Amino acid sequence: ILQVLIDWINDVLVEERIIVKQLEEDLYDGQVLQKLLEKLADRKLNVAEVTQSEIGQKQKLQTVLEAVHDLLRPHGWTIKWSVDSIHGKNLISILHLLVALAMHFRAPIRLPEHVSVQVVVVRKREGLLQTTHVTEELTTTTDLGHITCFPCLIVVGVLMDFFFSLQPERDAFDTLFDHAPDKLSVVKKSLITFVNKHLNKLNLEVTELETQFADGVYLVLLMGLLEDYFVPLHNFYLTPESFDQKVHNVSFAFELMQDGGLKKPKARPEGMDTL
């Protein structure tokens, strides 16, 4: 669960050039938490950018956590952290906070289910140290409506069914449209986060699924990135100008998928023209 959360934070803050390596050491002073919340909530917090003193750090942390509480409390979240515990580098408190944020903002990750840790509590009574063991439950079951993650190649297959939904039989996205259209934006956000995580390596970014994958270029490049190989430029049109060239690119991407072990996509390459 540690690495999943670290990778998520780094994905969210990639544009800020912030790299988190240890949760306790990197989050205790409120600086990274401030940037994370501002990015997730799309709002600016009125706090000092850099604080060196312990008092300044706790003041910033207090402001950040109050903003977090304002978001979480109306939804029934139990607050299992505090300014002192976060600033004291209490890993359990930090994990509770991050799991709550990930769930609230529907992070495109899959947290392990039923994660719990044994915490040793030491108390001094009548001059003697007494220890007790307390079980802290970090996650229970994972709601797919909140946490979404797919193996790389499977996501490509899902992307294809989404982008070129011309197949005659009904699929998961048909069901989504019929019964949970409100979750479509969550799925799209998850897919955009996924593809950008890889396409950013080539300094490319996707903002609109419906248009930017229509010519097959990003799809071909994404397959090469996922499977860790270079796709020779003479195999596809990097700047397609005609409908036929776009269809060629998508057809070629389909071939790469099959080479990677996926079943032949049910969609037709020509379907991109309807996007």
Side-chain angles (χ1 to χ4, degrees):
I1 189 172
L2 282 172
Q3 196 57 50
V4 172
L5 291 170
I6 289 173
D7 290 344
W8 170 57
I9 295 172
N10 287 334
D11 283 343
V12 173
L13 299 179
V14 63
E15 295 179 358
E16 302 289 334
R17 301 184 183 278
I18 293 174
I19 299 178
V20 170
K21 294 182 179 179
Q22 286 187 295
L23 295 179
E24 312 98 295
E25 297 298 328
D26 295 334
L27 272 64
Y28 81 96
D29 62 358
Q31 182 74 19
V32 173
L33 284 175
Q34 172 206 343
K35 297 295 183 183
L36 180 65
L37 183 61
E38 287 180 340
K39 197 73 173 180
L40 292 172
D42 193 25
R43 56 175 288 193
K44 187 72 174 176
L45 298 180
N46 185 23
V47 294
E49 281 299 314
V50 180
T51 52
Q52 298 294 336
S53 68
E54 179 177 337
I55 294 177
Q57 290 172 354
K58 285 190 173 182
Q59 287 176 341
K60 169 180 276 194
L61 196 54
Q62 178 72 40
T63 300
V64 173
L65 293 184
E66 285 177 356
V68 171
H69 299 167
D70 289 343
L71 290 172
L72 299 183
R73 278 203 181 100
H75 298 279
W77 284 99
T78 301
I79 306 303
K80 298 182 178 181
W81 55 86
S82 66
V83 171
D84 288 336
S85 65
I86 299 295
H87 194 268
K89 302 181 182 181
N90 184 308
L91 181 58
I92 303 303
S93 293
I94 293 172
L95 288 174
H96 277 306
L97 170 61
L98 293 177
V99 168
L101 286 174
M103 295 291 288
H104 178 77
F105 287 102
R106 302 175 182 271
I109 58 177
R110 182 177 294 281
L111 295 172
E113 297 183 355
H114 302 292
V115 175
S116 60
V117 293
Q118 289 288 328
V119 180
V120 179
V121 180
V122 181
R123 293 188 177 91
K124 189 174 183 178
R125 292 182 178 177
E126 299 179 354
L128 298 176
L129 295 179
Q130 297 181 352
T131 62
T132 56
H133 292 79
V134 178
T135 300
E136 284 281 345
E137 189 176 58
L138 298 176
T139 66
T140 53
T141 58
T142 302
D143 179 359
L144 291 179
H146 289 77
I147 305 296
T148 307
C149 181
F150 311 94
C152 290
L153 288 177
I154 298 302
V155 170
V156 176
V158 173
L159 280 170
M160 293 312 300
D161 282 346
F162 178 65
F163 297 145
F164 311 108
S165 54
L166 298 180
Q167 58 272 29
E169 55 268 42
R170 299 178 62 76
D171 63 7
F173 281 99
D174 290 315
T175 304
L176 181 67
F177 279 114
D178 290 348
H179 303 291
D182 57 307
K183 294 192 183 296
L184 179 60
S185 61
V186 178
V187 175
K188 290 175 67 175
K189 181 179 178 181
S190 297
L191 295 178
I192 289 174
T193 299
F194 168 78
V195 297
N196 281 335
K197 177 179 180 180
H198 298 280
L199 290 178
N200 283 168
K201 299 172 186 177
L202 300 178
N203 293 321
L204 300 173
E205 184 174 6
V206 171
T207 57
E208 293 292 335
L209 295 178
E210 296 88 341
T211 57
Q212 290 178 269
F213 275 80
D215 61 9
V217 175
Y218 280 9
L219 194 57
V220 171
L221 296 175
L222 182 61
M223 282 303 303
L225 290 167
L226 292 175
E227 291 289 86
D228 196 24
Y229 56 68
F230 175 76
V231 182
L233 297 180
H234 63 79
N235 284 341
F236 68 105
Y237 298 94
L238 192 59
T239 55
E241 298 177 355
S242 67
F243 175 80
D244 289 340
Q245 290 177 350
K246 295 177 183 179
V247 172
H248 169 86
N249 284 350
V250 179
S251 297
F252 178 56
F254 281 12
E255 295 174 10
L256 296 179
M257 290 179 196
Q258 290 178 266
D259 290 341
L262 284 177
K263 294 181 180 180
K264 182 179 180 180
K266 295 177 291 184
R268 294 186 298 113
E270 296 83 358
M272 64 184 178
D273 194 45
T274 65
L275 297 179

